[in-house]
Amino acid sequence: MQSIDNPTVESSSQKKEPERGAGETASGALRAWLDRRYQLTPLFDFLSHKQVPLGVHWMGWYYLGGITMFFFMVQVVTGVLLLMYYQPGEATAYESIHFLTTKVPFGWLIRSIHSWSAHLMIISLLLHMFSTMMLKAYRPPREVTWVSGYLLFLLTMGFGFSGYLLPWNKLAYFATTVGTNIVRSVPVLGNWLLEVLRGGQDVSINTLYRFFAAHVVILPLAFVAFIGLHLLLIQRQGMAPPLGEKVAPRGMRFFPSFALRDLLLWLACLMVLAALAVFLPYGPGIPGMDWELGDKADPLAPAYPGIKPEWYFLWEYQLLKEFPPHLFGLEGPQLCLFVIGILFVIWALIPWIDRRAYRDKPSPAFSDLGWAAILFLTYLTLMGWDVGAHHDAEQLTSMQEVARVCAWWTLAAGAVVILVRSWRFGHRWFILTGAALLQVILHGLIGVSYLLAGLISFVLAAIAILVLLYFRRSGADAAIST
Amino acid sequence: MEEHTTTVDKPATSRRHFIDLLLGVSVVAWLASVAYPIIRYLKPLPQTGSGGPTHLTRDEASKLEQKQFVIVPVSGQRVIVVNVQDRTCAFSAKCTHEGCTVTYLPGQSVIWCPCHDGRFDLNGRVLSGPPPRPLSQYAVNRQPDGGIVISEERA
């Protein structure tokens, strides 16, 4: 560009290097220099032809992966800055964070951005994952992309869990005690895993050292490896075209049109992040989204009411509460871990379970599964949040009262979801959403125990699906015989 | 390869299989020799607590008088000591549900875990909530000089 704008430079460079073409720029020369050595032309050709499918879905869904990666990059930068002051240790971990936030210029800002960006990264990751699920972008040939994204989701949860302990405050101490204790329920290896995770029988400063190593070295290395794989697969295969079509009706060039839009959106995200970090430096003040330092961890101090994990672990925390001490010869937490394990395995294997999407056909049951999962998580999260509890009253609100208020909120959300899906998108398949809402009604409004309500809803949904399959098959047989 | 296997070839392929098997075994043995030290390294050493009975310090004893309970370390474990009228009892302070440190509610005479609302009576038995087992009990001995000794032997 400069050489075109400035004719004197152009003419002088022509004199020195007569082999260079008249219209050739400095960047062109650099590209030619690289190309002679590394044969980059095929790569540039590939990237210049890369397109983003347009014309069927709202385009916003395609930006969520990029936004998640942007927040991860913010985490890396702010995390490295925090490392320059943070000192893991019994007498230093809490103190160094205290010093960082009170004495170091802009220390509070770096910590605030790190915390806000962590929460926003998880929000954008969840939106990205659920939108991929609803749009069936996981169907062949993109199954491995789904699994790599799923592993990135697990690693992100690991980041959240390990980072929570590092300030070594009271809340983090007990949340980590509860969180790590779940591992004990793993069959055979449970106790060994628990000790390896904690560096001892109980959560102690040894746990902090291990979590520190995981948070700043092990998890980032694993994350970068999987994000590399995830991006490579996406670059190789392109973004998924709409269901039932091999190619999207229209496309937008990735370079520069989509990439520039991505950059602009990242800039907007940075602005939002900065505004949140400055105006709410310790979080919005809702349970599970609050990073006031509070008191230093003390293993000999009793836990206190209102100990809650981060909001994205609340559903598991609440599910743990709903299991009775013993069931089917197992301890409650063991069975709870088993149930959570099954749900996570199903979620990872969805590309193979969804046989209709596998054959590139619409699969309304799996769209419904996605919405049912959201409602299931919403109800548990609201209960974990104690929505509807009177915090000012002397007497604690009963769990049934909290469940009732949460049930009404979840039912309202469910009604909106069903109406929007049926009117706007013409969906007609609501069995699983219906089962999720039935469980909410039975537990929250009628007072049936959570697990029994879940079992009744599950059995009814299974019967409904079997009946539907039977009629569909007999209908197909009739169509064949006529 | 298999289609062309003849009686003449057999000794050669079985030798190749044997070499492959040896290679496979040595790869597994090599991996195990790398993994074993790492696994042992990660497994923490057993706790080396004093193990003997623990005398409550003056601070702990006065805290017990004031708040009716105190949490003290006994052989590396958290123990809650509760003072009710004329009786002093001690239990593991680790909730049997998820391991939170329990506290004592003097108004209701129950030991309470705030993490998941587990309640225990003053014999350590579960009253309500999700804890699957009772709290294990510790022996409390009052010394003639008024001192309190907590020991690991179950009462």
Side-chain angles (χ1 to χ4, degrees):
Chain A
M1 283 301 280
Q2 199 182 12
S3 59
I4 294 166
D5 294 342
N6 187 344
T8 53
V9 175
E10 172 82 8
S11 58
S12 67
S13 71
Q14 267 182 333
K15 273 177 198 165
K16 279 177 193 165
E17 287 181 291
E19 73 274 11
R20 201 193 285 177
E24 202 171 357
T25 60
S27 66
L30 177 68
R31 186 174 155 178
W33 189 89
L34 288 170
D35 197 33
R36 278 196 297 278
R37 280 149 189 86
Y38 307 108
Q39 287 79 46
L40 295 178
T41 305
L43 182 69
F44 284 125
D45 282 350
F46 172 74
L47 290 178
S48 66
H49 288 109
K50 194 175 147 53
Q51 291 215 328
V52 177
L54 282 186
V56 177
H57 307 303
W58 178 51
M59 208 189 153
W61 302 124
Y62 294 129
Y63 293 111
L64 290 166
I67 293 176
T68 310
M69 195 172 77
F70 169 73
F71 285 127
F72 176 70
M73 291 189 290
V74 172
Q75 289 308 83
V76 172
V77 173
T78 50
V80 168
L81 291 174
L82 288 174
L83 259 181
M84 299 189 179
Y85 283 94
Y86 179 71
Q87 300 168 43
E90 185 106 60
T92 52
Y94 178 85
E95 287 76 3
S96 63
I97 296 287
H98 192 262
F99 177 75
L100 178 93
T101 45
T102 53
K103 296 281 193 312
V104 177
F106 295 111
W108 62 272
L109 182 68
I110 303 295
R111 178 166 182 255
S112 174
I113 290 180
H114 196 72
S115 306
W116 265 115
S117 178
H119 288 274
L120 295 180
M121 180 180 163
I122 286 171
I123 292 171
S124 64
L125 191 152
L126 287 175
L127 289 174
H128 180 46
M129 192 169 70
F130 275 98
S131 64
T132 306
M133 153 77 186
M134 303 293 185
L135 299 178
K136 315 289 160 40
Y138 50 69
R139 67 192 191 279
R142 292 179 179 78
E143 305 98 310
V144 180
T145 317
W146 168 266
V147 174
S148 64
Y150 171 83
L151 291 172
L152 286 168
F153 159 70
L154 294 188
L155 287 172
T156 307
M157 299 284 118
F159 269 119
F161 188 64
S162 56
Y164 198 55
L165 181 68
L166 300 187
W168 198 238
N169 55 3
K170 213 169 161 185
L171 184 64
Y173 177 83
F174 286 113
T176 307
T177 298
V178 176
T180 48
N181 205 56
I182 297 172
V183 178
R184 206 186 48 170
S185 305
V186 173
V188 189
L189 285 175
N191 268 326
W192 182 82
L193 269 179
L194 184 72
E195 280 200 30
V196 167
L197 199 60
R198 285 182 174 174
Q201 281 288 331
D202 287 306
V203 174
S204 66
I205 200 68
N206 294 330
T207 320
L208 182 108
Y209 296 143
R210 284 172 188 228
F211 276 38
F212 179 63
H215 192 79
V216 305
V217 181
I218 302 167
L219 290 173
L221 283 177
F223 199 91
V224 167
F226 279 110
I227 217 168
L229 174 69
H230 198 70
L231 287 179
L232 186 72
L233 293 175
I234 292 163
Q235 292 306 317
R236 190 86 184 102
Q237 298 181 317
M239 289 181 194
L243 200 70
E245 294 178 49
K246 288 280 170 264
V247 188
R250 290 187 290 121
M252 177 194 279
R253 286 175 65 182
F254 190 87
F255 286 107
S257 309
F258 189 79
L260 284 176
R261 280 171 166 80
D262 242 352
L263 267 180
L264 194 63
L265 198 58
W266 289 7
L267 192 65
C269 287
L270 188 65
M271 293 299 158
V272 171
L273 187 61
L276 289 170
V278 169
F279 293 112
L280 296 166
Y282 292 103
I286 45 178
M289 215 175 176
D290 170 30
W291 42 93
E292 281 278 7
L293 204 48
D295 295 333
K296 189 177 172 175
D298 175 9
L300 293 180
Y304 53 91
I307 296 263
K308 297 216 188 293
E310 302 269 82
W311 59 270
Y312 42 89
F313 290 123
L314 271 179
W315 71 275
E316 284 149 323
Y317 161 91
Q318 185 61 30
L319 199 60
L320 263 176
K321 263 187 179 178
E322 301 295 346
F323 273 76
H326 296 277
L327 200 66
F328 308 128
L330 287 171
E331 288 188 359
Q334 278 178 322
L335 204 61
C336 184
L337 185 77
F338 182 69
V339 169
I340 291 175
I342 287 180
L343 294 179
F344 270 89
V345 169
I346 290 175
W347 199 247
L349 298 181
I350 274 189
W352 291 275
I353 301 172
D354 185 357
R355 300 310 298 176
R356 283 181 64 85
Y358 203 88
R359 296 192 300 269
D360 218 18
K361 288 179 180 164
S363 59
F366 281 80
S367 305
D368 198 45
L369 175 70
W371 284 111
I374 289 173
L375 291 172
F376 168 79
L377 296 176
T378 302
Y379 184 53
L380 282 171
T381 304
L382 290 178
M383 283 200 293
W385 234 322
D386 284 336
V387 172
H390 320 293
H391 293 290
D392 51 339
E394 281 279 302
Q395 219 172 5
L396 287 170
T397 323
S398 76
M399 280 175 76
Q400 187 54 44
E401 205 174 319
V402 169
R404 203 180 65 239
V405 175
C406 297
W408 282 119
W409 279 109
T410 314
L411 288 172
V416 170
V417 164
I418 288 177
L419 287 177
V420 170
R421 281 177 60 201
S422 61
W423 281 348
R424 175 74 180 79
F425 299 103
H427 289 188
R428 292 290 173 269
W429 213 102
F430 298 109
I431 294 176
L432 296 170
T433 313
L437 292 178
L438 178 66
Q439 186 194 18
V440 172
I441 292 171
L442 288 174
H443 175 250
L445 303 186
I446 298 176
V448 180
S449 87
Y450 183 83
L451 294 185
L452 184 62
L455 188 68
I456 294 170
S457 310
F458 181 78
V459 169
L460 287 178
I463 293 171
I465 290 170
L466 287 175
V467 169
L468 193 74
L469 286 177
Y470 175 77
F471 277 112
R472 192 164 286 171
R473 187 159 298 169
S474 56
D477 289 345
I480 290 164
S481 62
T482 52
Chain B
M1 281 296 282
E2 282 169 24
E3 286 168 20
H4 300 289
T5 307
T6 61
T7 44
V8 181
D9 286 335
K10 242 181 186 170
T13 49
S14 63
R15 197 175 296 149
R16 166 60 62 88
H17 282 152
F18 180 68
I19 299 283
D20 281 350
L21 185 73
L22 276 187
L23 184 67
V25 169
S26 54
V27 166
V28 170
W30 180 80
L31 284 176
S33 72
V34 171
Y36 180 74
I38 296 176
I39 291 168
R40 282 302 305 270
Y41 178 86
L42 287 174
K43 164 110 174 136
L45 293 169
Q47 278 178 337
T48 48
S50 57
T54 302
H55 288 254
L56 291 199
T57 62
R58 192 172 293 172
D59 275 356
E60 288 164 348
S62 68
K63 214 172 170 184
L64 179 64
E65 286 300 319
Q66 283 169 13
K67 292 188 168 177
Q68 296 189 36
F69 80 97
V70 65
I71 298 163
V72 293
V74 177
S75 312
Q77 299 292 324
R78 291 164 271 162
V79 171
I80 184 165
V81 186
V82 181
N83 215 355
V84 198
Q85 292 152 359
D86 53 345
R87 182 176 157 230
T88 306
C89 43
F91 304 94
S92 162
K94 215 163 111 179
C95 178
T96 55
H97 183 225
E98 292 298 339
C100 281
T101 309
V102 296
T103 188
Y104 176 62
L105 299 179
Q108 301 169 39
S109 294
V110 291
I111 295 169
W112 179 51
C113 178
C115 284
H116 297 96
D117 199 21
R119 281 157 199 269
F120 304 87
D121 69 9
L122 290 177
N123 291 310
R125 284 185 300 235
V126 181
L127 288 174
S128 66
R133 288 179 305 278
L135 294 174
S136 51
Q137 207 163 356
Y138 282 70
V140 179
N141 287 307
R142 279 207 179 261
Q143 305 290 65
D145 62 354
I148 297 171
V149 180
I150 313 294
S151 53
E152 217 181 338
E153 297 91 54
R154 305 286 139 82

